[in-house]
Amino acid sequence: MKNNKSLSKMKTKKIFISCGEMSGDLHASYIVEEMRKKNKNTEFFGVVGDKSIKVGVKAINHIKNNDIMGFVEALKKYRYFTKKAGEYLEFIRKNGIETVIFVDFGGFNLKFFELLKKKIQEKELQDLKMIYYIPPKVWAWGKKRIEKLKKFDDVIVIFPFEKEYYDNGLKKDESKGLKVEYFGNPFVDKYEFSDELGEKILLLPGSRRQEIEKFLPVIIELIKNERVKNEKFLMKLASKEHLKYIESFEKEHKINVSKIPNLEITFDEIKKIRKDCKFAIATSGTVTFEISLMGLPVIVVYKTSRINAFIARNIVKIKYITLTNLNANKEIFKELLQEDFSVEKLLEEIEIMEKNKEKIVLELKNERKKLGNSGVLEKIVNYLLKDK
């Protein structure tokens, strides 16, 4: 009884979470869920999506309002993000937030962090513990962002190649003051591996409007091609709201997608439909890594505007864009980018995939072993909750 009274008198810990997109929201929801198991006396607020809201985060803004893809689109929303950063800062000030957890979304989160840091230094804001969970991809964008990351209290990465980059790929004087932790990949706790393959081709168009709009024309043309008329395609949409993009496509191309005989649309979780599928065609993103952990081979596709592609090719310093390939340091999943994302190329890769899919499943099984055993989320949360 005495213990219960002491617990009830404990001060409520208030945490603000800053996400920007669906993958970050998913990661944040896992952390929040695990933290609430360990410490019931914690309140969560922030910029999140449906998954984090479901596990108890009070949304100050919904990530659907941050729907951008590429450099040009980000510039167009500059005023919006500047305004929102000020609103979040004011919320943190008024509500006694003690900890801010930044999740991915480096373009905004690093600027938001600088704003908070400045206000703390000017004594306009109380000191905050600031943690970057899944920091910006410095191994892709270059080392300049490392200087900013040094100012965080904690930086936690979720891939071994990231940890290796920080530990070994930098000069000692550059990495001084930057402590990067790695406990394994949290998705290992959430996705079971299977080497059984079904009969359908899973289609994953992405979670952003621009991704879906680039995906649909090529994929619908593919599905209608004579060479795959006997294949069954299953398109999984991330949200029922995304049906409006299909409706826009139908109006523009004068086609009824629901009447295509070998295509089915679903909103079921991938975990539920994975057993029905033999491989996937997916827009590059976190989802390709999720399904790799479930043992499903993928043909990765991606198309953006010409100007975004030009900027990326001149700035990004990586050989692959797919997390599975990056972690393996080789091409396990074929990547069809920009002009290579075409019906002809897809038809070629589908034939190759049919011959090699079982071999790819074995590779995925070996890659999964590199990402740690179960219990990763518990390790991360124990670290976050400990007093330092």
Side-chain angles (χ1 to χ4, degrees):
M1 194 72 177
K2 188 177 179 182
N3 287 341
N4 288 339
K5 283 183 179 179
S6 63
L7 281 170
S8 66
K9 290 179 181 178
M10 282 175 63
K11 183 186 172 187
T12 300
K13 186 178 180 67
K14 294 185 176 182
I15 297 175
F16 188 95
I17 297 173
S18 179
C19 295
E21 50 201 356
M22 288 181 78
S23 60
D25 176 52
L26 180 64
H27 279 291
S29 72
Y30 291 158
I31 291 295
V32 170
E33 193 173 29
E34 191 67 28
M35 286 182 101
R36 287 172 76 90
K37 289 178 192 174
K38 300 274 183 184
N39 185 354
K40 303 283 186 188
N41 239 28
T42 308
E43 285 187 307
F44 296 89
F45 310 86
V47 193
V48 292
D50 293 341
K51 288 185 171 17
S52 292
I53 292 168
K54 190 176 179 181
V55 296
V57 182
K58 295 171 186 172
I60 307 308
N61 190 18
H62 198 288
I63 57 167
K64 66 184 178 185
N65 300 318
N66 299 338
D67 187 13
I68 55 168
M69 185 180 77
F71 306 95
V72 178
E73 290 79 6
L75 286 171
K76 287 177 183 175
K77 291 198 89 168
Y78 178 79
R79 284 185 181 178
Y80 164 82
F81 283 117
T82 302
K83 178 174 176 284
K84 287 297 171 186
E87 290 175 9
Y88 306 154
L89 186 151
E90 196 59 27
F91 180 89
I92 288 167
R93 189 205 315 265
K94 287 182 177 178
N95 289 275
I97 301 294
E98 302 160 71
T99 302
V100 181
I101 300 177
F102 303 81
V103 186
D104 206 351
F105 207 53
F108 174 80
N109 273 337
L110 284 175
K111 291 291 183 186
F112 183 39
F113 167 77
E114 287 178 345
L115 176 63
L116 293 176
K117 202 74 177 173
K118 182 183 176 187
K119 295 300 179 183
I120 291 167
Q121 289 167 348
E122 292 172 352
K123 309 294 183 186
E124 291 183 34
L125 188 66
Q126 68 174 31
D127 199 12
L128 297 164
K129 184 176 180 182
M130 293 198 272
I131 299 158
Y132 216 132
Y133 179 57
I134 313 176
K137 299 166 180 62
V138 294
W139 36 268
W141 298 100
K143 299 174 184 177
K144 288 184 180 179
R145 287 179 168 182
I146 288 174
E147 288 301 316
K148 294 178 182 178
L149 291 175
K150 288 180 188 179
K151 298 171 185 175
F152 284 83
D153 295 295
D154 287 296
V155 175
I156 300 171
V157 297
I158 59 171
F159 286 98
F161 74 89
E162 292 179 297
K163 174 68 172 165
E164 187 178 343
Y165 179 89
Y166 283 109
D167 288 351
N168 304 323
L170 301 173
K171 294 176 184 176
K172 287 182 181 179
D173 60 334
E174 284 183 311
S175 59
K176 188 177 179 182
L178 177 61
K179 184 175 69 168
V180 176
E181 302 290 344
Y182 171 70
F183 301 96
N185 192 287
F187 282 170
V188 171
D189 289 347
K190 297 294 180 177
Y191 299 103
E192 288 186 14
F193 187 92
S194 172
D195 54 11
E196 294 182 13
L197 299 176
E199 296 297 323
K200 297 178 182 179
I201 298 174
L202 178 62
L203 303 172
L204 298 164
S207 59
R208 299 186 184 98
R209 174 181 59 82
Q210 298 100 319
E211 291 173 337
I212 297 168
E213 288 175 349
K214 295 289 185 184
F215 186 87
L216 283 175
V218 180
I219 291 300
I220 297 301
E221 188 183 342
L222 170 75
I223 294 169
K224 293 168 69 181
N225 192 281
E226 190 69 17
R227 285 165 62 181
V228 291
K229 66 180 181 181
N230 294 323
E231 297 286 0
K232 292 177 182 177
F233 292 89
L234 181 61
M235 186 183 295
K236 188 254 186 293
L237 297 179
S239 164
K240 288 191 177 178
E241 287 187 15
H242 293 166
L243 282 172
K244 63 189 176 188
Y245 306 134
I246 299 216
E247 289 166 6
S248 296
F249 172 82
E250 288 177 325
K251 286 178 184 176
E252 184 180 347
H253 295 270
K254 296 179 173 56
I255 184 174
N256 190 331
V257 170
S258 64
K259 294 282 179 70
I260 299 174
N262 56 338
L263 173 64
E264 177 189 350
I265 292 176
T266 183
F267 301 97
D268 288 340
E269 286 190 9
I270 296 175
K271 292 177 184 179
K272 186 176 178 181
I273 58 178
R274 184 256 175 268
K275 66 182 184 300
D276 300 321
C277 304
K278 55 182 175 177
F279 61 86
I281 300 171
T283 294
S284 177
T286 303
V287 71
T288 63
F289 176 66
E290 292 174 64
I291 56 180
S292 77
L293 290 175
M294 291 184 260
L296 192 66
V298 189
I299 299 168
V300 178
V301 299
Y302 197 79
K303 187 177 282 188
T304 186
S305 67
R306 289 182 181 178
I307 188 165
N308 280 333
F310 174 80
I311 294 168
R313 282 169 172 164
N314 284 275
I315 295 176
V316 179
K317 308 173 189 300
I318 51 174
K319 192 174 179 182
Y320 308 111
I321 66 168
T322 309
L323 290 169
T324 302
N325 291 347
L326 283 165
N327 199 48
N329 197 27
K330 65 177 181 178
E331 189 179 68
I332 294 177
F333 294 157
K334 184 67 179 178
E335 298 180 354
L336 299 179
L337 314 178
Q338 289 301 104
E339 57 275 2
D340 285 338
F341 178 23
S342 67
V343 173
E344 279 305 311
K345 289 278 187 181
L346 279 168
L347 288 169
E348 288 175 22
E349 291 305 323
I350 286 171
E351 283 188 20
I352 294 168
M353 180 65 83
E354 287 290 358
K355 296 172 186 174
N356 296 326
K357 57 184 184 288
E358 286 82 9
K359 179 186 171 186
I360 294 172
V361 171
L362 286 174
E363 287 193 88
L364 296 178
K365 194 171 190 177
N366 291 329
E367 287 302 311
R368 183 181 165 111
K369 291 175 184 175
K370 295 179 184 177
L371 299 166
N373 300 315
S374 59
V376 173
L377 279 165
E378 186 177 14
K379 290 174 190 172
I380 293 170
V381 167
N382 284 342
Y383 181 80
L384 291 174
L385 290 174
K386 75 176 183 180
D387 294 324
K388 287 173 283 193

